[in-house]
Amino acid sequence: MLKLDRICRTYRTSDVETAALDEVSLEVRAGEFLSIMGPSGCGKSTLLNVLGLIDSPTSGAYWFMGEDVARCSEEQLTLRRRSRVGFVFQNFNLIEDLDVAENVEVALLYVGMSRAERRSRVAEALERVGLMHREHHMPKQLSGGQQQRVAVARALVTRPKLLLADEPTGNLDSANGDAVLDLLGAINRAGTTIVMVTHSAEHANRARRIVHMLDGRIVEDQEIAVAC
Amino acid sequence: MLANYFAAAIRNLLRNRAYTLINLFGLSLGFAAATLIALYARDEFSYDRFVPNHDRIYRVGEIIEPPGRSPMRLSVTSTTDAEALKLAFPEVEAATRLIPSNLRLSAKQDNEGATLASFWADPSFFDVFPLSGVAGNLANALSQPDSLVLTRRAARQLFSREDVVGETIRVGPDTVMRVAAVVENFPSNSHLNGEVFLPGAASFSPLVTLTAEQRQPGALRSENAYTYVRLRAAANIHDVRSRLGAFTDSHVSGSVNGTPIAKSYTFTLTPLADIHLQPRSIGDIKPPTDVRVLHALIAVAVLILVVACGNFISMMTARASRRAVEVGVRKAAGATQRQIMIQFMGECLFYALLALLPAVVAVELVLPAFNGFLRREIAFDYLTDPRLGLGLIGLTMLTGLAAGAYPALYLSRFKPNAVLRGTALTPQSSRARQSLVVAQFAILIALLVATFTVNRQIHFAIEDRLRLPTDQIYLASEALGCPSSFTDAIPTLGRVKAVTCVSGSTLGFDHISVNFVSPHGGGNVNGRAAQIDYSFFDVFGIQPIAGRLLSPQFGQDDLLRKDPATADNPTVVVNEAAARALGYSSPADAVGTFARWQRLSFMDGRLQFQGQSSSKIAAVVPDFSIGSVRDVIGPTAYYIDPTVSARMVFRFDGGSVQQSLESVRELWEKHSSTAFQGMFLDQFVNALYEDVLTQSAIFTWFSAVAVVLAALGLLGLAIFTAERRTKEIGLRKVMGARRTDILLFLGWQFARPVLWANLIAWPCAYLVMQRWLQGFAYHTDIGILTFVIAGALALVIALATVAGHAMLVARAKPVEALRYE
């Protein structure tokens, strides 16, 4: 589904060049649940951004669902991202001026869908994360766990093939963190490929594959046996 | 999608109430100010366009350029020109003439009546000006010598009703005329301000008497009538203009000192709608507007909108961090940069439309006072006038788009990967905001310099140049004349310092020429003849630079009093300009010399040139005029001539001006049955500079608007900066900064752009205002102090605006600041 071949991503300031990704090669198969682990600054989030088409590699090749997108313009990446990729962030990133339903609806606004269909999809997504009763609440009126569930609803409302989660439990207590991971597990079991960045080994173990990173490189790619 | 955008916009607006208010108030104020200026400019540019087929109507004017003198523009021509033009040019469909009248009109026998703006008009007046009649038949309303036409307003004033056709009116002391028609009022945006049209066909009408004089053999050409022509629909104005030179040669006869006067004459044809936009001319019915000032005002409106837009851009980008997540999420969800731009542009348009509503209300509220001040009838019928309504919407959309373009571009360029991690905001937006503040304050400082300069020039024109107690000098109406039985009795009142009788030419109300033969060769010197009596210099406080003033004890000074018909010339006093023009190296050199000159005298009821003769120059006085500082004071020759000195001027004691005037009035009423009329010199001077005073007031008001806008923008930025820098300020305090250190630190942050703004504003303002001052023959200097004061004022405004907020921030406990962060 996703294939990175010797991807580099460097950032330049006036006199310093930093390699966030250094010849990273990785293949993600459809239906996988993959965790990326590593210390702060090792390039986990950069890798996730490249996978999610919100950042472009400096060099290397990236086949996204069968198409080389490494040299695509921002506009082309946007069009490929629409309805195929969902995002969940550590700090939820809900739009504070929109209520719960409107926040979830944002993901559907750019895929050319009728208002009625959008409403039904939003209701379905909120039902799935158990927040239908909060649809008209503003983000500030929700707990952190609830906000992250809204973010998950927003990520899955387009029925994406790929869901990227960047430290989705980083700002949550353990109970809420577990609940969000349960939700992601269920989404994965329903067929959505998930790539999750996390610091927590316990949370990483929810995945079936763990990739360890250090200094912009993948240092270990570990498959986890699933108990039958 | 729109609902989602709208929800985000509205809630963002409500969440940030302080910023919203600053933004909306600023935009509203900008719209209101720009709308008022636009309405004023539209009114100025719309003069006389209400007249049907105005594009075929032209006013005939003249430019006279006597040898050695700067050209004089006249809006009046000879009474014989209308008929001559009609005969010479087949393109002229109709021609008509107007001469102002100051006769009193009374609807009842025992009524004192009123002096309304009246014109003697040819019967063809309504052929040239096809105005709408209210009652009666305009086509032949002026064909009878005893029929007149009133405007609706005049009818109301005289009869308190409008159905007055057939009613009689007493015109002057003993003539009765019949109202033949009532015509619609002239709007305020017409150069014609007539309320009454008297029959030019009446035997005592100046149109008849002056035409008869002009037709006498050898009569000197004089300009007394406004002449208008209406061209045929197919006429080509360029053809007509190209043949005016030949017309002048054949029609303008006579010569001065052997030179045909036709050589000095150029006829002009000014389209009716352009009359108000022409440079000033001698005899203008209404002072025209200065197109450069109109352009300057439009520029001020644009600058005000730029300042308002600057605030908007500044606020929107300052608050961008609050919208960054939204942009990131929308982009991550698949929104393109174009879609985000459209969203934010739409939001800015929404803001602009929201700001339009209070602006419209403000204009509605202010317009009556604005009209009262300008004495206009500017309407704000945006609902019934589609062009105005669309103009308002267009202006709003344009401003919304102009103000929204940068914030929309700025916000839409956020990279989702960066903003969603909270690292998107670059110092670029901060630099842009700083640049905006610099630009806004540069505009403000330039407007302050302009306002100060306009006011300095007014002060110079009214006070510095005349150096006279203008509120103690009274100019009596010419209609009163100057009866010696009355002026001789004035000293008995004991309240009048001096009274003098002078001609209109002396005061600059009209122009009587005098031609000197230069004693040093180099051709003739044409100048102004100032006919005075002995107390003139006393009344106006004029002292000779060299020589002696005129006195009855010198026989040659008194020549014309003894023998008005003499061909000899009396002794003259000349001004410095005349002494220079005559080639004397100093005033003292001129004194005692003899000069040959040709004098106009009033003989047999008309003005005529006498032959050349010599007379002595008794003194040289400083250049003096109560006229406008726009006009150069030309060579002037003062001499005693009671035949044309028919205007009384009084100088009162400072302490009891009103009582003195009353006693003069009472004395007059014992001498005459006519009412005592006139005006103080300060009223005359104020009327002279009415346009500049209006401009000054408009500049002052709109500069005040710019001050408020710039201050608002700075206030918004101060709130934002304080918010953003809470942690930094807290840390500085932890490190030992005192309250004053913080205040100085914040003060410097805001003072710096204002100081930079001076660098841009000063040269721009200097160039523009220097050009403006060049429009006056006599003007003040701008002076470095004007710039320093403007810059300092802008700095004070800036610091006063941010002081309150800076104080709050500086007083906060550091621990609170750090905890807040």
Side-chain angles (χ1 to χ4, degrees):
Chain A
M1 183 183 197
L2 311 175
K3 189 179 175 192
L4 303 178
D5 185 16
R6 299 202 300 173
I7 286 288
C8 292
R9 179 66 173 102
T10 51
Y11 294 105
R12 271 195 190 85
T13 56
S14 52
D15 48 2
V16 183
E17 188 175 280
T18 312
L21 296 178
D22 185 6
E23 300 213 331
V24 169
S25 295
L26 176 73
E27 191 166 348
V28 180
R29 292 175 295 274
E32 266 195 317
F33 189 161
L34 184 146
S35 287
I36 303 172
M37 287 193 72
S40 289
C42 70
K44 304 183 297 286
S45 293
T46 305
L47 177 59
L48 201 71
N49 289 338
V50 169
L51 288 173
L53 307 180
I54 56 176
D55 199 359
S56 298
T58 313
S59 64
Y62 175 25
W63 281 272
F64 176 82
M65 298 183 189
E67 185 185 8
D68 186 1
V69 293
R71 304 283 164 265
C72 281
S73 67
E74 195 183 325
E75 182 87 3
Q76 290 166 326
L77 291 179
T78 301
L79 297 176
R80 279 155 187 75
R81 196 163 60 226
R82 272 184 191 169
S83 76
R84 293 199 212 169
V85 188
F87 292 90
V88 178
F89 304 96
Q90 178 179 356
N91 51 1
F92 326 134
N93 281 331
L94 296 183
I95 300 171
E96 52 185 326
D97 292 321
L98 298 180
D99 67 19
V100 164
E102 288 162 347
N103 260 292
V104 176
E105 190 192 16
V106 166
L108 297 172
L109 291 176
Y110 308 100
V111 295
M113 196 176 274
S114 73
R115 190 175 164 80
E117 195 176 350
R118 287 205 304 266
R119 281 191 170 171
S120 120
R121 286 271 201 110
V122 168
E124 184 189 309
L126 285 176
E127 199 70 63
R128 201 159 161 196
V129 299
L131 283 175
M132 194 55 207
H133 61 296
R134 299 275 192 189
E135 66 171 332
H136 294 309
H137 283 63
M138 300 304 285
K140 273 187 182 165
Q141 297 170 297
L142 304 178
S143 70
Q146 287 172 325
Q147 287 192 44
Q148 193 60 301
R149 277 152 63 197
V150 175
V152 172
R154 183 177 63 192
L156 60 85
V157 73
T158 57
R159 296 172 191 162
K161 290 188 170 61
L162 174 66
L163 195 149
L164 302 171
D166 192 355
E167 303 268 11
T169 58
N171 281 357
L172 302 178
D173 58 31
S174 58
N176 275 311
D178 285 343
V180 166
L181 285 174
D182 288 345
L183 204 50
L184 292 180
I187 292 165
N188 175 245
R189 281 191 295 280
T192 304
T193 308
I194 296 183
V195 180
M196 175 176 76
V197 163
T198 179
H199 269 108
S200 158
E202 187 196 337
H203 291 165
N205 281 329
R206 296 278 193 117
R208 278 172 283 165
R209 183 178 164 199
I210 303 175
V211 167
H212 291 268
M213 290 187 74
L214 186 67
D215 296 337
R217 289 170 172 270
I218 293 177
V219 290
E220 190 182 350
D221 192 343
Q222 174 192 7
E223 295 277 350
I224 297 173
V226 181
C228 297
Chain B
M1 189 183 288
L2 276 179
N4 192 279
Y5 287 169
F6 192 68
I10 283 280
R11 289 185 195 133
N12 187 271
L13 201 137
L14 293 173
R15 187 156 54 89
N16 305 299
R17 285 192 186 89
Y19 293 96
T20 302
L21 277 179
I22 289 175
N23 247 346
L24 287 183
F25 181 70
L27 268 185
S28 287
L29 192 61
F31 281 149
T35 304
L36 281 174
I37 293 178
L39 287 173
Y40 174 68
R42 185 185 190 225
D43 190 64
E44 289 284 282
F45 283 119
S46 68
Y47 259 64
D48 294 311
R49 288 176 189 272
F50 72 98
V51 179
N53 294 325
H54 62 80
D55 52 336
R56 285 165 52 196
I57 304 170
Y58 294 83
R59 185 183 69 187
V60 185
E62 291 175 8
I63 298 173
I64 306 176
E65 196 165 3
R69 279 206 52 195
S70 50
M72 290 186 292
R73 298 179 68 92
L74 275 77
S75 53
V76 279
T77 69
S78 165
T79 46
T80 58
D81 293 342
E83 194 184 338
L85 282 163
K86 197 163 184 318
L87 285 172
F89 293 91
E91 290 95 335
V92 174
E93 190 174 75
T96 194
R97 302 165 302 167
L98 291 176
I99 290 186
S101 155
N102 55 6
L103 289 174
R104 292 184 77 76
L105 302 167
S106 174
K108 288 180 187 152
Q109 201 58 42
D110 53 349
N111 193 322
E112 258 197 13
T115 306
L116 298 172
S118 314
F119 288 98
W120 295 99
D122 280 327
S124 56
F125 179 73
F126 293 107
D127 295 336
V128 175
F129 290 87
L131 302 173
S132 20
V134 175
N137 182 7
L138 285 180
N140 53 13
L142 293 172
S143 56
Q144 299 300 314
D146 64 344
S147 61
L148 54 76
V149 174
L150 300 178
T151 61
R152 198 193 272 265
R153 192 163 32 229
R156 283 219 156 268
Q157 197 168 340
L158 291 167
F159 296 96
S160 305
R161 58 193 168 86
E162 290 171 9
D163 54 335
V164 296
V165 172
E167 296 286 351
T168 56
I169 287 182
R170 186 156 51 89
V171 178
D174 47 19
T175 306
V176 173
M177 292 191 182
R178 191 178 47 80
V179 180
V182 176
V183 71
E184 196 54 77
N185 293 329
F186 282 80
S188 63
N189 58 349
S190 170
H191 85 285
L192 280 173
N193 56 2
E195 299 289 358
V196 180
F197 294 91
L198 301 165
S203 59
F204 61 100
S205 149
L207 286 173
V208 171
T209 56
L210 287 170
T211 308
E213 276 173 27
Q214 289 281 286
R215 290 211 167 120
Q216 281 183 23
L220 196 69
R221 183 178 164 82
S222 66
E223 283 77 16
N224 310 91
Y226 299 99
T227 304
Y228 299 86
V229 292
R230 179 187 169 94
L231 300 189
R232 293 181 201 284
N236 182 333
I237 182 65
H238 301 295
D239 279 356
V240 176
R241 284 194 175 120
S242 67
R243 281 149 45 214
L244 278 174
F247 169 77
T248 312
D249 291 339
S250 65
H251 175 64
V252 177
S253 57
S255 61
V256 175
N257 295 341
T259 311
I261 60 170
K263 295 288 172 210
S264 315
Y265 273 73
T266 308
F267 280 102
T268 57
L269 289 174
T270 308
L272 186 65
D274 289 352
I275 290 174
H276 188 60
L277 307 173
Q278 294 300 301
R280 278 170 176 264
S281 305
I282 294 169
D284 280 331
I285 295 175
K286 217 182 213 184
T289 192
D290 186 337
V291 179
R292 290 175 316 160
V293 171
L294 274 188
H295 289 157
L297 270 175
I298 292 167
V300 168
V302 172
L303 288 179
I304 284 176
L305 282 180
V306 167
V307 174
C309 285
N311 283 354
F312 190 84
I313 292 168
S314 194
M315 290 287 98
M316 286 293 278
T317 53
R319 306 292 295 166
S321 57
R322 302 289 172 106
R323 305 295 296 273
V325 167
E326 181 183 338
V327 174
V329 168
R330 287 187 190 276
K331 279 199 162 182
T336 59
Q337 185 179 346
R338 204 171 132 259
Q339 283 171 316
I340 301 285
M341 268 202 80
I342 290 171
Q343 177 194 342
F344 284 108
M345 290 290 272
E347 202 171 310
C348 293
L349 277 180
F350 171 67
Y351 261 105
L353 285 169
L354 214 56
L356 178 65
L357 297 177
V360 167
V361 174
V363 172
E364 295 266 21
L365 291 175
V366 171
L367 196 60
F370 192 66
N371 269 331
F373 173 74
L374 295 170
R375 277 176 273 162
R376 299 289 171 95
E377 296 156 3
I378 299 171
F380 187 44
D381 297 328
Y382 48 92
L383 294 177
T384 52
D385 182 348
R387 286 209 298 187
L388 182 61
L390 287 175
L392 268 181
I393 303 275
L395 175 80
T396 310
M397 304 278 274
L398 203 68
T399 311
L401 291 176
Y406 179 72
L409 184 70
Y410 175 73
L411 283 159
S412 68
R413 283 169 69 180
F414 285 159
K415 299 274 181 226
N417 58 337
V419 288
L420 296 175
R421 286 208 313 268
T423 57
L425 300 174
T426 61
Q428 248 187 342
S429 68
S430 162
R431 273 202 297 274
R433 279 194 298 279
Q434 291 282 323
S435 311
L436 273 173
V437 174
V438 171
Q440 286 177 313
F441 271 84
I443 291 170
L444 173 64
I445 292 165
L447 282 176
L448 288 176
V449 170
T451 307
F452 292 159
T453 309
V454 172
N455 283 306
R456 267 173 71 108
Q457 175 63 8
I458 287 173
H459 191 267
F460 168 80
I462 293 177
E463 312 255 332
D464 295 354
R465 184 164 161 263
L466 286 174
R467 289 201 183 88
L468 280 174
T470 51
D471 55 344
Q472 294 167 26
I473 293 176
Y474 190 82
L475 313 174
S477 163
E478 192 178 15
L480 305 186
C482 207
S484 56
S485 57
F486 173 68
T487 53
D488 291 347
I490 290 287
T492 60
L493 293 174
R495 293 176 168 225
V496 181
K497 263 190 179 173
V499 59
T500 183
C501 291
V502 297
S503 67
S505 182
T506 308
L507 298 177
F509 296 161
D510 50 50
H511 185 96
I512 298 178
S513 288
V514 62
N515 291 295
F516 278 93
V517 179
S518 174
H520 301 94
N524 294 331
V525 172
N526 184 281
R528 178 185 292 277
Q531 296 86 355
I532 57 172
D533 69 9
Y534 293 107
S535 46
F536 167 77
F537 297 108
D538 199 17
V539 167
F540 286 100
I542 299 170
Q543 295 294 324
I545 299 172
R548 59 149 182 97
L549 293 180
L550 302 172
S551 162
Q553 69 192 54
F554 299 100
Q556 201 63 22
D557 295 8
D558 216 27
L559 188 69
L560 297 177
R561 280 192 355 143
K562 289 177 187 146
D563 181 9
T566 180
D568 292 340
N569 278 339
T571 313
V572 289
V573 167
V574 297
N575 67 354
E576 281 181 284
R580 270 195 308 274
L582 287 168
Y584 295 106
S585 54
S586 74
D589 285 354
V591 174
T593 60
F594 284 82
R596 286 183 71 75
W597 56 289
Q598 205 179 3
R599 175 170 55 84
L600 267 172
S601 68
F602 195 66
M603 298 287 290
D604 304 328
R606 63 193 175 94
L607 280 168
Q608 37 188 290
F609 265 118
Q610 299 287 352
Q612 282 181 3
S613 78
S614 272
S615 71
K616 189 175 171 184
I617 298 175
V620 177
V621 293
D623 292 341
F624 170 83
S625 165
I626 62 165
S628 171
V629 288
R630 290 184 182 88
D631 306 323
V632 177
I633 301 174
T636 307
Y638 298 93
Y639 58 93
I640 308 296
D641 185 354
T643 55
V644 282
S645 299
R647 199 181 268 272
M648 291 183 287
V649 181
F650 301 86
R651 183 160 179 171
F652 299 120
D653 274 327
S656 54
V657 173
Q658 281 307 324
Q659 293 96 311
S660 306
L661 181 61
E662 267 321 298
S663 55
V664 169
R665 193 190 302 277
E666 281 166 20
L667 182 66
W668 174 261
E669 279 162 8
K670 285 178 196 159
H671 279 76
S672 169
S673 58
T674 54
F676 186 79
Q677 288 177 319
M679 65 172 122
F680 280 99
L681 184 57
D682 58 354
Q683 291 171 295
F684 169 74
V685 172
N686 282 342
L688 205 59
Y689 299 116
E690 193 186 331
D691 57 336
V692 188
L693 287 165
T694 307
Q695 289 158 20
S696 155
I698 291 178
F699 266 106
T700 309
W701 291 343
F702 291 109
S703 295
V705 169
V707 166
V708 173
L709 285 175
L712 270 181
L714 212 56
L715 180 67
L717 270 190
I719 298 172
F720 169 74
T721 307
E723 237 176 53
R724 202 167 52 92
R725 292 189 137 175
T726 309
K727 187 174 181 181
E728 180 189 340
I729 290 161
L731 278 171
R732 281 175 186 270
K733 291 188 91 171
V734 168
M735 300 298 160
R738 290 165 307 165
R739 194 180 293 176
T740 45
D741 296 324
I742 300 295
L743 281 176
L744 282 173
F745 165 72
L746 287 174
W748 176 239
Q749 298 293 310
F750 289 103
R752 212 167 35 187
V754 178
L755 294 175
W756 277 111
N758 284 300
L759 286 184
I760 302 170
W762 287 12
C764 297
Y766 176 79
L767 290 175
V768 172
M769 293 321 290
Q770 196 62 30
R771 255 183 86 94
W772 182 76
L773 286 174
Q774 296 304 326
F776 297 90
Y778 305 94
H779 56 79
T780 180
D781 293 322
I782 304 182
I784 185 74
L785 206 60
T786 307
F787 295 96
V788 174
I789 291 172
L793 192 60
L795 191 64
V796 169
I797 290 166
L799 292 178
T801 307
V802 300
H805 217 77
M807 193 73 86
L808 277 180
V809 174
R811 282 172 61 183
K813 287 181 183 160
V815 65
E816 282 171 9
L818 296 173
R819 194 167 55 213
Y820 170 80
E821 280 290 305

